[in-house]
Amino acid sequence: MKILDGKKTYLDIKEKIKNKLSNKNVSIGLSVLLVGDDPASEIYVNMKKNACRDVGINSEIVRLSSEVSESEVLEKIDSLNKDDKIHGILVQLPLPKHINEAKILQAVSHKKDVDGFHPYNVGDLVIGEDGFVPATPLGVIELLKAYDIEIKSKDVAIIGASNIVGKPLFSLFLNEGATVSICHKRTKDISHYTKYADIVCVGVGLPNLIKADMVKDGAIIIDIGINKVDKKIVGDVDFEGVSKKASYITPVPGGVGPMTIAMLLENTIKAFNLIEGELID
Ligand code: GUN
């Protein structure tokens, strides 16, 4: 069994980006919109900000109160869309209940949409055109590629069908030539899909959902879950049991999480290139 070390891969990517940017006299701007005071979101946006600082991307966290109106958020997005210093815009989710998430995500210019949540980018991914791809699923694919794991013709089972992770991951695997099943809340028996899969990806927020008897020998296991159990961060996979059967497995923490941050940095450079011309290769 080998560990898919997302932390190490993240550090390698970060180093490469840092070196690339150090030779260029460019000013790249990322704006992260944080609405309300969700404690997990607070941690995530700070991780994003620190990663930007490490590589030389200018990032700002725009904080809006949980009571802000939808139109005030839309106004802020409009001004960021028009701001020449800002190349990437990210709205941290979840948003407070009174704000229509779809409306907010559609307001972000698709050219600055480093999260890949705008319907134009969702559509580009589905039809296999170049666009912004959400950072977490992109991180999964890049982690597999970093370990030279072939995706083409593999049977993949994805557990979790969210717009942020499961659905874009489905398209990414399909575009890479895999055969993909996607399971969700209403799936009768997820083990029916996981048992035969070469690659199992799970991200639903249920600790120990995937157990050893649900995967085949030699399976590749990607754990996208983040749960707090007894003050410890764990994923959705029973790591102890499943790692005995897996050929590769991601740890939590230190697997997919850091890859998400790495892909945000890559997407921000992509946004810069899209807006300013291909200045960074
Ligand atoms: N909330 C949970 N995951 C994500 C993500 O990848 N991007 C944003 N913007 N919010 C999130």
Side-chain angles (χ1 to χ4, degrees):
M1 183 273 297
K2 290 203 184 89
I3 295 284
L4 293 168
D5 189 341
K7 180 81 186 287
K8 180 185 175 294
T9 310
Y10 158 71
L11 292 173
D12 290 347
I13 293 171
K14 214 168 65 163
E15 194 60 25
K16 263 189 216 146
I17 295 175
K18 186 178 162 188
N19 291 336
K20 215 157 44 176
L21 296 186
S22 69
N23 310 322
K24 298 265 190 314
N25 190 18
V26 292
S27 178
I28 308 174
L30 172 70
S31 195
V32 177
L33 217 61
L34 178 59
V35 186
D37 38 31
D38 181 70
S41 291
E42 183 70 39
I43 294 170
Y44 295 143
V45 299
N46 280 311
M47 282 160 65
K48 292 170 185 180
K49 188 164 192 273
N50 291 339
C52 285
R53 183 204 54 210
D54 291 350
V55 300
I57 292 174
N58 302 312
S59 74
E60 58 170 13
I61 302 176
V62 177
R63 291 170 191 277
L64 299 173
S65 112
S66 56
E67 274 99 59
V68 72
S69 70
E70 189 177 278
S71 59
E72 282 172 290
V73 182
L74 290 170
E75 268 168 41
K76 185 66 210 176
I77 291 173
D78 186 51
S79 81
L80 293 171
N81 282 341
K82 290 174 179 149
D83 188 336
D84 292 340
K85 295 185 294 304
I86 298 298
H87 303 92
I89 303 170
L90 181 160
V91 181
Q92 189 65 31
L93 302 178
L95 290 167
K97 294 258 178 304
H98 67 280
I99 295 175
N100 181 331
E101 184 181 292
K103 204 164 160 185
I104 296 298
L105 298 180
Q106 283 178 41
V108 173
S109 162
H110 66 97
K111 291 189 175 160
K112 296 189 177 185
D113 177 33
V114 288
D115 250 338
F117 294 162
H118 189 286
Y120 283 4
N121 287 313
V122 176
D124 275 337
L125 175 59
V126 171
I127 63 175
E129 284 293 316
D130 185 35
F132 289 104
V133 176
T136 299
L138 187 58
V140 170
I141 300 293
E142 289 305 311
L143 186 56
L144 292 169
K145 288 186 176 173
Y147 281 82
D148 292 322
I149 294 171
E150 172 114 305
I151 298 172
K152 195 169 55 190
S153 299
K154 290 278 163 67
D155 293 322
V156 179
I158 299 170
I159 324 303
S162 68
N163 290 338
I164 296 181
V165 181
K167 287 185 204 167
L169 191 55
F170 178 92
S171 292
L172 281 167
F173 273 120
L174 186 60
N175 293 347
E176 293 282 341
T179 303
V180 200
S181 304
I182 187 156
C183 304
H184 46 80
K185 271 196 209 87
R186 312 228 182 266
T187 301
K188 280 187 289 189
D189 177 13
I190 62 171
S191 67
H192 176 80
Y193 300 90
T194 56
K195 259 184 196 162
Y196 297 99
D198 303 308
I199 304 174
V200 175
C201 301
V202 58
V204 292
L206 292 172
N208 289 320
L209 178 69
I210 305 300
K211 300 189 185 63
D213 63 355
M214 296 169 70
V215 304
K216 70 175 185 184
D217 277 323
I220 296 161
I221 310 294
I222 308 290
D223 192 346
I224 314 166
I226 302 178
N227 310 289
K228 216 174 191 177
V229 176
D230 301 332
K231 296 193 180 155
K232 256 183 69 185
I233 300 294
V234 299
D236 292 351
V237 175
D238 165 22
F239 186 89
E240 182 64 28
V242 174
S243 58
K244 294 192 174 83
K245 285 177 94 176
S247 58
Y248 291 89
I249 188 166
T250 59
V252 177
V256 176
M259 291 303 294
T260 297
I261 309 279
M263 295 304 104
L264 171 65
L265 299 176
E266 300 267 21
N267 280 351
T268 305
I269 291 169
K270 187 183 172 97
F272 177 86
N273 278 338
L274 190 67
I275 292 167
E276 306 286 352
E278 299 290 319
L279 297 178
I280 303 162
D281 44 58

